[in-house]
C-alpha cells in the first residue's frame, strides 16, 4: 500500500522546507531517493507525485521537497506565489537546503543507501552534491544544466547589478518573476565552487544522465558536455522528449506521459543494477 508522509525542515534564512515521503510499507530496507526540483519548479509540479508513486511501488522511499526560496507556500502549494522569497534565492541557499534534506534522511534512515535525482537546475545541485558528499551512493540527472549562468543572459548582468533585479518570465503563466542581484553576486563569489563541469569531473559514484533531444530549454548538447566531463557517467537520450518529458502543470492524467515513463523506467533499471 502506497503511503505518504509530510515533513517540515528549517531551511535557509528562516524559511521552511516543506517535503513529503512516498513509500510502500510492504517493502523493508528501502533505499532512499531524494528528488531535487528545478528553477521555477516545486515538489508538486506536474507529474511529480505520480513519479513518487512509481518509485515507491518499486521499493524505494521517495523524498521530495520545496527548496526554501522556491516561492511556494504551504497555503498555495501548487503555484509560485511568494515572489519576494523567489527573488532572494541563491545557489548557496539551495545547496544548504539540499544538505538539510540529506541530513534528515541520513539521520532518519542511517542504514539505507541514498540516491539523488535532480531535474534541470536541481540536476546541477545534485552533481555538486554527488561530487562532494560521500553519503550519496548514486546520482541521476534529468535535463540538467551545466552552467548556472545559463539561466540568464550575459548582457543582463550589468543592468542587474545596477538596478538590483531583473525579471524572468514564467512560460506557463506569462508572469514576470523577479530575481535580486544577490543571485548573481552569490554566483560570482563562488564561481569555482559552482563550476558544474568541474564538479562533474569529480563524480566518482555511478551517474546516469537522461536528456531529451527535443529540449529547447536545455539543449541535448549540454548533456553531452556533462558526459564528456565525466566519461564514466552513462548518457541516455530520450528520443523526441522535451525539457519536462511530456509533463505539464497542472497534470491531470493518471498515467505518466510516455517520455516521463521512459525516464522513470531507465532510472529504475539504473538504480537496481550493480553498477
Amino acid at each position: 500500500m502506497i503511503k505518504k508522509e509530510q515533513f517540515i525542515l528549517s531551511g535557509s534564512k528562516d524559511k521552511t522546507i516543506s517535503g513529503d515521503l512516498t513509500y510502500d510499507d510492504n517493502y523493508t530496507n528501502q533505499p532512499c531517493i531524494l528528488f531535487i526540483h528545478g528553477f521555477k519548479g516545486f515538489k508538486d509540479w506536474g507529474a511529480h507525485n505520480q513519479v513518487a508513486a512509481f518509485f515507491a511501488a518499486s521499493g524505494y522511499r521517495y523524498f521530495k521537497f520545496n527548496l526554501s526560496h522556491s516561492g511556494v507556500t504551504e497555503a498555495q502549494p501548487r503555484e509560485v506565489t511568494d515572489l519576494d522569497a523567489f527573488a532572494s534565492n541563491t545557489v548557496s541557499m539551495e545547496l544548504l537546503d539540499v544538505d538539510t534534506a540529506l541530513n534528515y534522511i541520513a539521520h532518519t534512515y542511517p542504514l539505507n543507501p541514498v540516491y539523488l535525482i535532480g531535474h534541470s537546475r536541481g540536476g546541477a545541485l545534485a552533481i555538486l552534491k554527488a561530487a562532494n558528499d560521500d553519503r550519496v551512493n548514486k546520482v541521476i540527472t534529468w535535463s540538467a544544466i551545466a552552467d548556472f549562468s545559463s539561466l540568464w543572459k550575459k548582457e543582463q548582468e550589468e543592468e542587474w547589478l545596477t538596478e538590483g533585479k531583473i525579471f524572468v518570465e514564467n512560460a506557463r503563466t506569462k508572469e514576470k518573476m523577479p530575481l535580486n542581484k544577490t543571485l548573481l553576486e552569490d554566483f560570482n563569489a563562488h564561481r569555482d565552487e559552482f563550476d558544474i563541469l568541474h564538479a562533474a569531473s569529480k563524480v566518482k559514484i555511478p551517474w546516469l544522465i537522461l536528456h531529451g533531444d527535443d529540449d529547447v530549454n536545455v539543449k541535448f548538447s549540454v548533456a553531452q558536455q556533462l558526459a564528456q566531463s565525466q566519461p564514466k557517467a552513462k548518457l541516455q537520450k530520450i528520443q523526441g522528449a522535451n525539457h519536462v518529458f511530456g509533463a505539464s502543470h497542472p497534470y491531470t492524467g493518471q498515467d505518466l506521459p510516455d517520455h516521463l515513463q521512459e525516464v522513470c523506467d531507465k532510472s529504475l533499471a539504473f538504480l537496481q543494477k550493480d553498477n
Side-chain angles (χ1 to χ4, degrees), residues 93-160:
M93 290 196 290
E94 291 189 337
L95 284 170
L96 278 172
D97 290 342
V98 173
D99 198 55
T100 297
L102 275 172
N103 289 342
Y104 171 70
I105 295 171
H107 177 75
T108 311
Y109 301 98
L111 302 179
N112 301 45
V114 179
Y115 309 135
L116 291 184
I117 298 178
H119 176 252
S120 195
R121 186 156 112 179
L125 298 172
I127 293 166
L128 293 180
K129 290 304 292 181
N132 297 294
D133 195 321
D134 59 10
R135 295 174 297 180
V136 181
N137 299 101
K138 294 185 181 183
V139 61
I140 303 174
T141 52
W142 298 349
S143 312
I145 63 171
D147 182 352
F148 288 107
S149 68
S150 66
L151 297 168
W152 60 82
K153 295 180 175 65
K154 181 70 177 174
E155 58 267 26
Q156 290 179 293
E157 292 186 1
E158 187 176 342
E159 173 201 351
W160 197 356

Side-chain angles (χ1 to χ4, degrees), residues 10-16 68-69 88-90 92-93 96-97:
S10 179
S12 301
K13 303 284 186 183
D14 298 323
K15 291 283 185 185
T16 58
S68 62
H69 286 68
S88 61
N89 195 17
T90 66
S92 289
M93 290 196 290
L96 278 172
D97 290 342

Side-chain angles (χ1 to χ4, degrees), residues 91-92 95 128 146-150 152-154 157 160-161 183-199:
V91 176
S92 289
L95 284 170
L128 293 180
D147 182 352
F148 288 107
S149 68
S150 66
W152 60 82
K153 295 180 175 65
K154 181 70 177 174
E157 292 186 1
W160 197 356
L161 293 172
L183 174 59
L184 178 58
E185 290 171 339
D186 178 66
F187 174 74
N188 286 336
H190 300 276
R191 243 174 220 278
D192 292 342
E193 185 185 340
F194 297 164
D195 185 330
I196 300 164
L197 292 176
H198 178 67

Side-chain angles (χ1 to χ4, degrees), residues 10 16 51 67 92 150 166 201 262:
S10 179
T16 58
V51 169
L67 292 161
S92 289
S150 66
I166 58 171
S201 72
E262 183 181 350

